[in-house]
């Protein structure tokens, strides 16, 4: 058995084959070339897939955006991706081979469930604190994708001013506390580019940087505590690029959760950080392959 | 087949038998006499149960508080109820008969799933806006009780000041927006007692009352919108005593949800308002009875 995983990201597409769990067999990366639109990304990715494997047992795909009713939604990063019928295009390519498509955060949560920090967890929460913010709910040991594929889209959580919201083109929590927002605001304060959020945490002696980070981490901690109050999970697993500053972020999230949640869950770092969505695509493919008769 | 339902409330205990869905067969109510403690409530309730039925097929019980690891927690209303091993006491009384115990909001959600506004809903939210605030998550067509029985305890959701929280003895959303909080604050403003929240809504020409209600309904609406962003439910069903003012509350919750949630769910009133937990206890008993061999 060999499965194929494809992770469509805003800047790169990653592909891999695997025979089971980690390690991966062959991997391949290509730039998304976002301004050139959705069609060329899909075409180049499928051409690359053919060089990796001709007959995978199953295909798992992770993508930015929300997979809703066989189309991708809420995916502004690549022109044409919003509304794209990605599942249909993939079924046409792979014919009778099972294909599963989820958004990148749900895929990453699937990898954590299968091999990582969510193993054995019946009721849990996975959070991805990266350039954007996303989450996934785990119930019955499975990822709950939501009625429209949008469960865990925590970037839209309301802040103090509820008039700034999805309808006004805002994603309040993401604009306050995501890695992307912190990089943009930090760069403006410093007058130079920022590569990772941990660079900012190294500069907390500057009051303006400290204030920026405090506001963000406080907002994240309150959001996590409120999610835990609502869901009462066993465990919260946190991944994503902001985990480069995990030692500054996790203890503050844990501390507020311990105070604000009647039965506080464990708060732990994810196993997969950089390659979580690709590992998730492989995990989705392996799940789908279980339903395929052996050849 | 005849099942027994018992609803332990802060001021009254309600009991009923039923042969299936509504209507109930026999019902009975007794005062909780809370200051006299937990033991006498359980004893009098079980004595009353014996007068209703000698051999129920199954017993469903709803109680205030959280049912966590075979004890009741977060139940300060009746001395001795917090920590009470209610499931054990019930098993001793009813011997081999199946007994299911849930908190009152989870029980009410079970009634809505079986006969009410959550029928056929796979992923949903039930909210009880009453003297206190509570909620239940529905996934896979079942109530998710949480890892410690505390899923949906929305009264503890944090407000603007996260230092006021569970650890400080506060329940921030409940203190701002519950029927109990509004009755207390409204009575203080008016200099007289308030029976229902709808009495306050009849006095919105008074600026102080209007401000009180606006703050509360805005906080409820933001909490519902954030729950919907996190869970992406098909439908939100709202019950509880505050629904006497449903026409003032539901449209404002629906309006914010429609703006703030990427894929807004339906927001509808519950079918069971006054007797929801008792109907829920019956629903729990009927669920348990399905697993019992016919006699």
């Amino acid at each position: 058995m060999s499965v194929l995983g494809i992770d469509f990201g805003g800047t790169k597409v990653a592909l891999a084959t695997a025979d089971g769990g980690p390690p991966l067999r062959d991997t391949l990366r290509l730039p998304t070339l976002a301004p050139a639109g959705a069609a060329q990304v899909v075409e180049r990715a499928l051409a690359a897939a053919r060089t990796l494997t001709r007959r995978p047992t199953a295909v798992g795909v992770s993508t930015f955006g929300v997979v809703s009713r066989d189309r991708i939604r809420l995916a502004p990063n690549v022109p044409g991706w919003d509304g794209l019928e990605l599942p249909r295009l993939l079924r046409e390519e792979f014919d009778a081979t099972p294909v599963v498509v989820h958004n990148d955060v749900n895929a990453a949560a699937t990898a954590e469930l299968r091999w990582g920090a969510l193993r054995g967890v019946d009721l849990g929460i996975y959070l991805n604190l990266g350039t954007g913010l996303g989450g996934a709910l785990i119930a019955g040991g499975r990822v709950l994708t939501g009625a429209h594929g949008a469960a865990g889209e925590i970037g839209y959580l309301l802040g103090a001013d509820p008039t700034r919201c999805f309808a006004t083109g805002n994603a309040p929590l993401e604009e306050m506390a995501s890695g992307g927002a912190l990089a943009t605001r930090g760069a403006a304060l410093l007058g130079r580019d920022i590569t990772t959020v941990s660079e900012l945490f190294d500069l907390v002696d500057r009051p303006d940087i400290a204030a920026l980070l405090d506001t963000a981490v406080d907002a994240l901690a309150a959001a996590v505590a409120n999610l835990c109050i609502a869901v009462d999970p066993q465990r919260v697993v946190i991944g994503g690029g902001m985990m480069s500053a995990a030692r500054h972020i996790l203890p503050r999230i844990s501390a507020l959760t311990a105070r604000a949640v009647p039965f506080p869950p464990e708060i732990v770092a994810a196993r997969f950080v950089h390659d979580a969505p690709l590992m998730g695509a492989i995990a989705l493919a392996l799940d789908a392959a279980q339903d395929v008769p052996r050849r």
Side-chain angles (χ1 to χ4, degrees), chain A:
Chain A
M1 183 183 73
S2 170
V3 300
L4 171 67
I6 308 177
D7 169 41
F8 289 100
T11 58
K12 68 171 197 307
V13 182
L15 300 97
T17 54
D19 302 310
L24 302 171
R25 200 167 61 189
D26 300 306
T27 63
L28 206 152
R29 279 162 207 275
L30 39 153
T32 301
L33 308 177
Q40 57 87 26
V41 187
V42 177
E43 277 167 31
R44 286 188 299 117
L46 294 180
R50 281 173 224 128
T51 69
L52 279 183
T53 172
R54 300 302 297 189
R55 299 201 59 186
T57 312
V59 182
V61 176
S62 91
T63 170
F64 57 93
V66 164
V67 184
S68 180
R69 292 202 193 87
D70 236 28
R71 287 178 190 269
I72 313 296
R73 299 291 180 196
L74 306 182
N77 300 358
V78 173
W81 210 259
D82 200 298
L84 185 71
E85 290 182 275
L86 185 62
R88 181 178 60 75
L89 298 173
L90 293 163
R91 282 196 300 270
E92 286 172 11
E93 170 75 15
F94 292 104
D95 198 23
T97 303
V99 178
V100 183
V101 187
H102 276 289
N103 83 42
D104 45 11
V105 177
N106 288 339
T110 306
E112 295 294 335
L113 269 171
R114 198 172 182 109
W115 301 299
L118 285 166
R119 250 181 116 153
V121 169
D122 180 73
L123 187 59
I125 294 175
Y126 172 79
L127 295 175
N128 186 82
L129 309 181
T131 308
L133 302 178
L137 301 185
I138 285 71
R142 299 178 65 89
V143 175
L144 278 189
T145 54
H148 316 85
E153 289 292 330
I154 60 168
Y156 297 103
L157 288 173
L158 297 171
D161 172 11
T163 65
R164 291 179 63 253
C165 65
F166 177 72
T168 52
N170 294 107
L173 185 63
E174 187 155 295
E175 290 161 17
M176 176 175 285
S178 69
L182 289 176
T184 303
R185 292 188 189 182
L189 292 174
L190 297 169
R192 64 172 171 85
D193 278 358
I194 291 291
T195 310
T196 71
V197 169
S198 62
E199 274 179 67
L200 289 177
F201 279 97
D202 291 339
L203 299 168
V204 284
D205 288 344
R206 282 184 54 146
D208 54 353
I209 299 291
L212 176 69
L213 294 173
D214 279 345
T215 305
V217 178
D218 287 349
L220 288 174
V224 174
N226 279 341
L227 287 170
C228 292
I229 290 166
V231 174
D232 184 22
Q234 292 165 247
R235 187 181 294 170
V236 178
V237 171
I238 307 186
M242 286 176 74
M243 284 301 94
S244 64
R247 73 181 195 284
H248 300 286
I249 296 174
L250 285 189
R252 287 168 67 179
I253 291 176
S254 296
L256 182 60
T257 300
R259 289 178 55 76
V261 184
F263 300 94
E266 297 175 273
I267 311 275
V268 302
R271 170 173 176 189
F272 302 106
V273 175
H274 299 296
D275 53 356
L278 179 60
M279 291 309 304
I282 293 289
L284 293 171
L286 288 169
D287 284 351
Q290 285 179 336
D291 303 329
V292 179
R294 297 274 171 91
R295 302 191 248 220

